[in-house]
Amino acid sequence: GAVVSQHPSRVICKSGTSVKIECRSLDFQATTMFWYRQFPKQSLMLMATSNEGSKATYEQGVEKDKFLINHASLTLSTLTVTSAHPEDSSFYICSASSTGNSPLHFGNGTRLTVT
Amino acid sequence: AQSVTQPDIHITVSEGASLELRCNYSYGATPYLFWYVQSPGQGLQLLLKYFSGDTLVQGIKGFEAEFKRSQSSFNLRKPSVHWSDAAEYFCAARNAGGTSYGKLTFGQGTILTVHP
């Protein structure tokens, strides 16, 4: 079945630094990928929609300058958390779909801890 | 506003017992519906989905779900729970068709604990 690989699985960084998270579709092409954020004991909230070759679409309340998304190819999207702060500590999950009606396949997530 | 509600935050069952996890949705039109399972620190795995047609949907790992339009519900069931089913379960929905296929709205999640 379709596989989405997300890397790294865990990252600890100091406040003020930037962190890049990669999301790859391993056996299918994904023109669109999605980035979700999950706070402890809460549900997933969509942050942004990553479109190959164009700018990402951000959900209301998500700072596009803080959460930089690049979708350079049909199999790779990256999320960069810039100037990270402790409140950015969270579980970030990417997802992708091969076609419009295909269900989303999720990566295993990245646990970000900002100290 | 579109929403998905899972009324039960935490459910505990004994191994071998039957299971039903509730999910209700509020959408302008019947959405596409999904159930995902998440193990601790992991991503989400799709259990099953409903787009149209037969309202009883079979999924992986012995799970099934029934779509009831009159009740705006999509409850997940399993006849006999195994200890390995302990995880968090998310119901999700999205608008049918169109280009917003990835904009899933998730319920709050239900944590399932299985006692031996």
Side-chain angles (χ1 to χ4, degrees):
Chain A
V3 177
V4 174
S5 173
Q6 190 172 338
H7 178 81
S9 57
R10 291 179 180 272
V11 59
I12 300 173
C13 70
K14 291 186 177 181
S15 189
T17 62
S18 295
V19 174
K20 180 184 285 188
I21 303 170
E22 291 187 349
C23 179
R24 295 180 183 272
S25 57
L26 297 184
D27 55 358
F28 66 99
Q29 293 184 330
T31 55
T32 305
M33 293 184 176
F34 304 89
W35 289 94
Y36 288 82
R37 182 174 181 176
Q38 185 180 30
F39 290 102
K41 300 190 183 301
Q42 294 189 30
S43 190
L44 288 81
M45 300 297 293
L46 179 65
M47 298 176 63
T49 302
S50 171
N51 304 297
E52 188 267 335
S54 64
K55 292 183 178 180
T57 304
Y58 290 82
E59 295 301 300
Q60 191 173 8
V62 178
E63 299 176 62
K64 62 180 181 181
D65 294 330
K66 180 166 190 61
F67 298 100
L68 300 179
I69 291 174
N70 183 274
H71 195 151
S73 75
L74 288 172
T75 59
L76 174 64
S77 175
T78 61
L79 168 67
T80 301
V81 183
T82 62
S83 188
H85 289 282
E87 56 264 32
D88 297 326
S89 298
S90 189
F91 193 57
Y92 294 86
I93 307 177
C94 71
S95 65
S97 175
S98 56
T99 63
N101 279 338
S102 297
L104 291 181
H105 298 280
F106 286 81
N108 281 341
T110 297
R111 174 73 61 194
L112 171 63
T113 303
V114 184
T115 61
Chain B
Q2 299 170 337
S3 66
V4 176
T5 302
Q6 293 176 247
D8 305 305
I9 297 174
H10 195 168
I11 283 183
T12 300
V13 299
S14 297
E15 190 169 16
S18 63
L19 171 71
E20 182 170 32
L21 302 182
R22 295 183 292 166
C23 173
N24 293 95
Y25 63 89
S26 176
Y27 267 68
T30 300
Y32 291 168
L33 296 160
F34 308 83
W35 274 99
Y36 287 88
V37 60
Q38 184 182 34
S39 297
Q42 299 291 311
L44 279 73
Q45 181 182 23
L46 178 68
L47 288 176
L48 47 78
K49 63 185 185 293
Y50 172 78
F51 284 177
S52 64
D54 193 343
T55 57
L56 186 62
V57 180
Q58 301 298 318
I60 62 171
K61 304 184 178 185
F63 285 93
E64 66 177 26
E66 185 171 13
F67 168 66
K68 292 185 177 180
R69 185 190 307 273
S70 61
Q71 298 178 16
S72 297
S73 69
F74 189 57
N75 294 349
L76 181 72
R77 301 194 294 248
K78 186 169 185 177
S80 177
V81 171
H82 189 262
W83 64 267
S84 60
D85 293 325
E88 187 161 17
Y89 292 80
F90 290 96
C91 181
R94 70 165 175 88
N95 288 317
T99 58
S100 61
Y101 61 89
K103 300 187 75 171
L104 289 175
T105 298
F106 284 87
Q108 299 90 329
T110 299
I111 298 172
L112 174 65
T113 298
V114 180
H115 281 168

